[in-house]
């Protein structure tokens, strides 16, 4: 609202993965019922990620909050007919917007690229949680379900960001959370925008 945009004005909500802190604003509680926060939006997310967090075989301690939040924050979106469940394969799902596989943090985590002319903006989700991981991608956060695969995804994402001198929008870095991946003689570093 502060930006002059009403919830009804939002066209698309793009989800990198289905952890509680990345879907919690999908819905709001109205008269005891969870309803879409953005009633005119298409909500785009990985079909495989949804299937993973719907399969009772995966309802473990680690995944508990994702199962809980699916019920109040994702299922109501599907019931309202607003979900576009996609295959995460790097192809454009909207004009100039693509979802790329970056598994590890969750099994079907996606890294979202926005292309405009020659410029790129990247929405990294939880490929990394702290700027130190730009310098030392081998360090994984405790929240990564498969740390070894997360490292491979993080290195791929960092290479992509550096190669395209992209504006990178992270989720958990401090300050603006946005920045660029810099390449120096001695390795990589992070510069906030
Ligand atoms: Zn997460």
């Amino acid at each position: 609202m502060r930006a002059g945009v009403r919830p009804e004005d939002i066209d698309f909500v793009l989800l990198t993965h289905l952890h509680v802190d990345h879907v919690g604003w999908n819905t709001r509680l109205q008269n005891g019922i969870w309803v879409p926060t953005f009633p005119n939006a298409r909500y785009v997310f990985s079909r495989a990620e949804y299937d993973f967090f719907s399969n009772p075989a995966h309802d473990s301690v680690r995944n508990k909050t994702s199962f809980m939040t699916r019920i109040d924050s994702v299922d109501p979106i599907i019931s309202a007919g607003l979900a576009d469940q996609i295959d995460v394969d790097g192809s454009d799902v909207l004009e100039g917007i693509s979802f790329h596989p970056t598994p590890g943090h969750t099994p079907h985590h996606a890294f979202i690229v926005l292309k405009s002319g020659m410029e790129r903006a990247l929405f990294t989700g939880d490929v990394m949680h702290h700027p130190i991981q730009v310098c030392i991608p081998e360090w994984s956060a405790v929240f990564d379900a498969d740390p070894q695969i997360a490292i491979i995804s993080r290195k791929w994402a960092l290479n992509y960001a550096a190669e395209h001198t992209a504006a990178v929008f992270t989720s958990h870095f401090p300050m603006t959370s946005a920045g660029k991946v810099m390449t120096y003689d001695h390795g990589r570093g992070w510069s906030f925008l």
Side-chain angles (χ1 to χ4, degrees):
M1 291 299 276
R2 239 188 304 167
V5 181
R6 298 169 306 155
E8 309 84 71
D9 299 330
I10 301 298
D11 296 321
F12 294 100
V13 176
L14 311 179
L15 306 174
T16 55
H17 63 301
L18 301 183
H19 272 168
V20 57
D21 55 327
H22 292 258
V23 299
W25 32 258
N26 278 358
T27 55
R28 57 199 167 92
L29 195 58
Q30 205 172 58
N31 303 319
I33 297 169
W34 291 100
V35 298
T37 304
F38 308 105
N40 299 318
R42 301 303 303 173
Y43 289 70
V44 184
F45 54 91
S46 161
R47 175 185 294 111
E49 178 94 345
Y50 180 82
D51 290 347
F52 181 88
F53 287 124
S54 304
N55 183 339
H58 302 141
D59 193 358
S60 60
V61 172
R62 172 180 283 279
N63 297 331
K64 185 61 73 189
T65 54
S66 298
F67 274 76
M68 290 164 67
T69 201
R70 196 196 82 229
I71 291 165
D72 59 39
S73 300
V74 185
D75 286 348
I77 299 302
I78 295 172
S79 302
L82 300 183
D84 287 336
Q85 297 189 55
I86 59 160
D87 295 325
V88 174
D89 58 9
S91 60
D92 277 13
V93 293
L94 298 164
E95 194 184 337
I97 293 178
S98 51
F99 283 52
H100 299 255
T102 42
H105 177 68
T106 60
H108 303 281
H109 184 282
F111 164 101
I112 300 173
V113 174
L114 166 62
K115 284 184 214 164
S116 176
M118 295 302 288
E119 297 198 282
R120 279 175 170 77
L122 314 180
F123 299 88
T124 59
D126 283 350
V127 162
M128 47 194 176
H129 289 76
H130 190 283
I132 192 72
Q133 292 176 292
V134 178
C135 312
I136 312 173
E138 293 80 8
W139 285 5
S140 281
V142 68
F143 309 107
D144 292 345
D146 187 327
Q148 292 309 315
I149 295 178
I151 290 168
I152 296 168
S153 290
R154 192 153 43 249
K155 287 180 174 174
W156 179 85
L158 289 168
N159 286 340
Y160 190 102
E163 209 173 288
H164 295 95
T165 49
V168 181
F169 294 85
T170 67
S171 306
H172 296 289
F173 285 16
M175 309 212 296
T176 62
S177 210
K180 294 214 165 185
V181 173
M182 312 300 286
T183 303
Y184 304 111
D185 290 344
H186 57 276
R188 293 246 165 84
W190 178 257
S191 174
F192 279 103
L193 289 174

